[in-house]
Amino acid sequence: MGGRIAALIATATLGVALGGCIPSSERPASYDRHAPPGPGPRAESDPQVDRYEPRRADPFDAGKSVRQLPSPPPAWQSRPVTPDAQTIPSGSYTVRPGDTLRAIADRSGAGSEAIARANALPPPYAIRAGQRLTIPGGRYHLVRQGQTGIAISRAYGIDWSRIVTANELAPPFVLRVGSRIVIPGNAPGRSSIEERAAAFRLDVDDLVTGSSPAIAATERPAAPTKSPARVLAPTTPFKEPERLRGAFIWPVQGRVVGKFGPGASGEKNNGIKIATAIGTPIKAAADGVVAYAGDEIAALGGLVIVKHGDGWTTVYGHASRLLVQRGQAVKRGQTIALSGDSGFADRPEVHFEMRKGRTPVNPVAQLPTL
């Protein structure tokens, strides 16, 4: 018996000694991915937070999935585009009495905006009889009801940013039904529409500039919804803010762990990354309307994009839960999502961008000093 006790004591002593040498499979105590957010009153504008139960997932996998409110697929999925662009040769046209620029565009097959650019015609694009106009050649796609820039670019297998540049589109980046836009590059090869759509990869610029459904000249956009319970049809255009109201605020409180601009290894960050515990409420930085809520950009995971007017857009990524819908009006300080580590985040954090038009700007320069 005495020998067995001595052996057990020796084994225990050896285990303690080796404990400092064998790497533990547990996260260190300081790696608290589920530390609760700090105490504080819940805003009256955040009743939807109560819809969700606390996360009970394995902490090693937590935050990788994104919980969203029920909503239909986006317009670029529900309203695909047929790539039926017409190739128009370059030419010229002499204006006749009673002609309008739109009528000339319809007759020639070119876009009225393209004709205006080629002839340096300023708005309202007045023309006179006898005037000789250049008709720019190219491939022109006729925009139909409900089509989006993203769906058009997917159909042709061309980055939407190239189409934006070729057509000199500007905020609010809304396509008009019946207009013809230039499709740069050559016609698609033998690949199918499905193959081109599968190869297409969304980025934030696509969502900012190409997610709005086309609207007819006589159509009025829908008023923004006041609650996530009311869901707009994905092909329904909504009215975006014209003017920015008030100053921007921080979406969360935390340490900035990723700075704006180029990184040490050459990568570029179009925003900042703010470390925060999983489940922290992410606040809208200013009044606006939600342009996108989803997880189609793999790197950013749960993503909300809000348009504020005057060309300003804010972007919130790596969320674990999305609490708003496309077309929903939000107020500054309203909770729009809960933080997480979805996408390619390497820690619980919020990716936050601010854009003026298509240009990313450093959020730190626009936000109050902490």
Side-chain angles (χ1 to χ4, degrees):
M1 177 66 71
R4 176 179 293 180
I5 293 174
L8 290 173
I9 293 174
T11 301
T13 303
L14 179 61
V16 172
L18 291 176
C21 303
I22 300 175
S24 171
S25 61
E26 299 293 328
R27 299 282 190 184
S30 60
Y31 190 88
D32 186 4
R33 302 177 70 175
H34 292 276
R42 177 174 295 161
E44 292 182 358
S45 59
D46 303 335
Q48 60 266 44
V49 174
D50 290 333
R51 297 184 183 185
Y52 300 98
E53 296 181 358
R55 182 194 301 277
R56 293 184 174 86
D58 182 338
F60 280 39
D61 298 325
K64 296 304 180 184
S65 61
V66 180
R67 297 181 66 178
Q68 306 179 45
L69 298 174
S71 61
W76 48 92
Q77 295 179 16
S78 61
R79 186 66 62 87
V81 167
T82 300
D84 56 359
Q86 300 295 312
T87 300
I88 306 301
S90 299
S92 61
Y93 178 84
T94 301
V95 179
R96 304 169 186 172
D99 273 343
T100 64
L101 193 63
R102 183 62 179 269
I104 295 171
D106 290 341
R107 193 176 301 134
S108 67
S112 56
E113 293 84 357
I115 296 174
R117 289 193 300 271
N119 294 276
L121 299 177
Y125 311 120
I127 54 177
R128 65 183 185 280
Q131 184 177 2
R132 192 170 183 82
L133 298 177
T134 296
I135 305 298
R139 285 194 302 156
Y140 289 91
H141 174 83
L142 178 64
V143 178
R144 278 88 165 186
Q145 185 74 34
Q147 292 185 350
T148 61
I150 293 173
I152 293 171
S153 61
R154 282 163 58 106
Y156 290 98
I158 296 175
D159 287 344
W160 173 241
S161 60
R162 291 184 60 194
I163 300 177
V164 171
T165 300
N167 292 273
E168 299 183 15
L169 300 181
F173 305 107
V174 176
L175 297 176
R176 295 291 177 182
V177 174
S179 64
R180 291 178 174 85
I181 59 174
V182 177
I183 305 297
N186 299 320
R190 294 181 177 274
S191 61
S192 66
I193 297 176
E194 292 76 17
E195 289 172 333
R196 291 193 292 275
F200 184 84
R201 293 293 179 267
L202 275 177
D203 61 24
V204 171
D205 185 68
D206 295 330
L207 293 172
V208 171
T209 63
S211 62
S212 297
I215 186 170
T218 57
E219 183 181 4
R220 297 184 63 179
T225 63
K226 297 181 179 180
S227 164
R230 179 169 173 249
V231 182
L232 293 178
T235 55
T236 298
F238 60 83
K239 184 174 177 56
E240 298 181 6
E242 295 181 0
R243 295 286 179 264
L244 172 67
R245 297 179 58 187
F248 291 105
I249 63 171
W250 287 81
V252 293
Q253 299 296 312
R255 184 167 58 93
V256 175
V257 293
K259 295 183 178 180
F260 176 85
S265 59
E267 78 283 2
K268 182 181 180 182
N269 188 0
N270 286 328
I272 58 176
K273 295 187 181 295
I274 308 168
T276 188
I278 285 180
T280 300
I282 301 174
K283 309 290 188 178
D287 292 0
V289 179
V290 177
Y292 177 80
D295 61 355
E296 293 180 87
I297 298 181
L300 294 179
L303 180 66
V304 176
I305 297 178
V306 180
K307 293 192 174 183
H308 303 282
D310 286 325
W312 283 103
T313 302
T314 52
V315 179
Y316 314 76
H318 301 316
S320 61
R321 297 169 185 171
L322 308 181
L323 306 176
V324 290
Q325 300 271 23
R326 171 189 170 272
Q328 180 183 340
V330 294
K331 293 292 186 181
R332 182 176 68 168
Q334 178 179 339
T335 298
I336 58 176
L338 301 182
S339 65
D341 61 353
S342 60
F344 296 169
D346 55 7
R347 63 173 66 82
E349 62 189 13
V350 173
H351 174 86
F352 180 61
E353 293 184 22
M354 298 182 68
R355 297 189 177 217
K356 179 70 169 174
R358 297 178 65 192
T359 305
V361 299
N362 188 349
V364 174
Q366 305 296 325
L367 298 172
T369 303
L370 294 178

